[in-house]
């Protein structure tokens, strides 16, 4: 058991470092670009099922969703001190089938300086997206909280140094390597299920009345609670592994490598 928890913590640490590295590197050049302090506000048309990705951001990411085909990107960057570094570029790439917002370091020193210091503090970047509900969304390498409104497509969150909150009407979800609590709300669990691993913090699942799933929780350092009406719960290995059937069962929800409690509760 101790080995599993140790490995889970290593996964969290590795994901956090990967997020810091991504923040330093970014991706290929191209698309809209802005440097320095200030704001970016862009609007784009997206097709249903478009892929939206946010990566390498030094600050919180917030996603609001609605019944629309228009995506709005709002980026603000602020410095607490005049000496804060603003060398990171924000690049936006767009097609009708995809939208990418990424941070790219324009200075020198790379990940070594970010890890061991010597480059001064970086200005905070806040990314707010207003998106159609029918998109596939991915956030990775984020040094701040990630909040995602209700979506209907695939949701992927990884390498986050902060709290994660997300809602889904129905779809597949994967959350890995977060240094902060996680709260996931599902009206229904999609057929491809949910995978959650490497979390340093409390995990909360909030499930709608129509949600049905087969739950498998193992390799965690904390208490497991299931308060869904009618759920059947089976505990194995002195309570260190918990299986539960919610509703009629169905899609698999697997939770592993959590340093904190795991709760399954009804959505309000």
């Amino acid at each position: 058991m101790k080995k599993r928890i140790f490995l889970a913590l290593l996964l969290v640490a590795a994901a956090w470092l990967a997020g810091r590295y991504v923040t330093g590197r970014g991706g290929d050049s191209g698309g809209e670009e802005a440097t320095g302090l200030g704001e970016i506000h862009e609007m784009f048309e997206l097709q249903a099922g478009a892929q939206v990705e946010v990566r390498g951001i030094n600050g919180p990411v917030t996603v609001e969703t609605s019944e629309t085909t228009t995506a709005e990107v709002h980026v603000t960057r602020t410095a607490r001190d005049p000496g804060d570094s603003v060398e990171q570029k924000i690049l936006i790439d767009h097609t009708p089938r995809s939208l990418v917002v990424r941070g790219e370091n324009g200075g020198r020193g790379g990940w070594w300086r970010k890890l061991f210091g010597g480059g001064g503090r970086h200005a905070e970047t806040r990314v707010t997206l207003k998106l159609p509900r029918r998109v596939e969304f991915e956030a990775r390498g984020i040094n701040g909280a990630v909040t995602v409104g209700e979506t209907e497509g695939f949701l992927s969150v990884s390498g986050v140094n902060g709290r994660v909150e997300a809602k889904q009407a129905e779809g597949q979800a994967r959350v890995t390597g977060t240094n902060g609590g996680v709260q996931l709300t599902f009206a229904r669990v999609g057929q491809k299920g949910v995978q959650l691993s490497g979390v340093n913090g409390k995990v909360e699942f909030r499930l709608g009345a129509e949600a049905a799933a087969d739950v498998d929780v193992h390799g965690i350092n904390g208490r497991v609670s299931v308060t869904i009406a009618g759920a059947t719960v089976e505990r194995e290995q002195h309570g260190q592994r918990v299986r539960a059937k919610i509703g009629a069962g169905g899609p698999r929800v697997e939770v592993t490598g959590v340093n904190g409690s795991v709760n399954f509760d009804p959505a309000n």
Side-chain angles (χ1 to χ4, degrees):
M1 178 62 187
K2 291 182 178 179
K3 289 183 178 179
R4 287 198 298 268
I5 299 302
F6 178 70
L7 290 174
L9 292 176
L10 283 179
L11 176 59
V12 172
W16 179 79
L17 290 176
R20 301 279 288 180
Y21 182 49
V22 169
T23 302
R25 288 194 59 183
D28 298 332
S29 60
E32 300 291 333
E33 176 181 325
T35 59
L37 300 177
E39 297 189 11
I40 305 169
H41 191 193
E42 301 284 351
M43 299 181 67
F44 309 98
E45 288 296 313
L46 288 179
Q47 298 177 7
Q51 296 182 337
V52 179
E53 179 182 349
V54 180
R55 68 175 187 262
I57 300 298
N58 184 41
V61 174
T62 302
V63 178
E64 303 170 5
T65 61
S66 63
E67 293 292 342
T68 181
T69 60
T70 302
E72 293 186 42
V73 180
H74 190 200
V75 181
T76 61
R77 286 189 289 179
T78 57
R80 296 180 181 177
D81 263 304
D84 285 356
S85 171
V86 292
E87 64 187 7
Q88 188 184 56
K89 299 177 182 178
I90 302 299
L91 300 116
I92 302 173
D93 298 308
H94 165 258
T95 72
R97 294 289 300 168
S98 70
L99 172 63
V100 179
V101 180
R102 67 182 189 272
E104 183 176 273
N105 190 2
R108 298 178 180 179
W111 68 271
W112 184 266
R113 183 176 62 180
K114 286 182 176 294
L115 182 59
F116 293 104
R121 295 195 316 177
H122 287 268
E124 181 182 72
T125 301
R126 290 180 173 268
V127 175
T128 301
L129 304 181
K130 296 183 179 180
L131 300 176
R133 294 175 73 226
R134 297 176 181 85
V135 297
E136 315 277 326
F137 181 77
E138 178 178 7
R140 57 188 174 96
I142 309 298
N143 187 30
V146 175
T147 305
V148 183
E150 189 171 88
T151 60
E152 296 184 6
F154 176 61
L155 172 70
S156 177
V157 180
S158 61
V160 173
N161 185 33
R163 181 170 173 80
V164 174
E165 295 186 26
K167 298 179 181 180
Q168 279 196 295
E170 181 173 4
Q172 179 187 4
R174 180 177 65 230
V175 178
T176 61
T178 68
N179 185 33
V182 175
Q183 182 185 101
L184 300 177
T185 302
F186 293 89
R188 294 174 298 277
V189 179
Q191 289 302 310
K192 294 185 178 180
V194 179
Q195 293 177 306
L196 186 146
S197 63
V199 175
N200 185 30
K202 181 179 180 180
V203 173
E204 300 173 84
F205 284 90
R206 298 184 177 181
L207 303 179
E210 298 181 10
D214 288 320
V215 173
D216 187 1
V217 181
H218 56 95
I220 71 164
N221 183 28
R223 179 173 172 269
V224 180
S225 171
V226 182
T227 64
I228 307 293
T232 58
V233 180
E234 177 184 351
R235 298 180 185 270
E236 300 178 3
Q237 300 172 0
H238 306 288
Q240 297 302 322
R241 183 165 197 156
V242 176
R243 291 189 174 94
K245 184 180 292 293
I246 296 173
R252 179 179 174 84
V253 176
E254 183 175 16
V255 180
T256 184
V258 175
N259 185 33
S261 62
V262 178
N263 299 336
F264 291 84
D265 299 313
N268 294 331

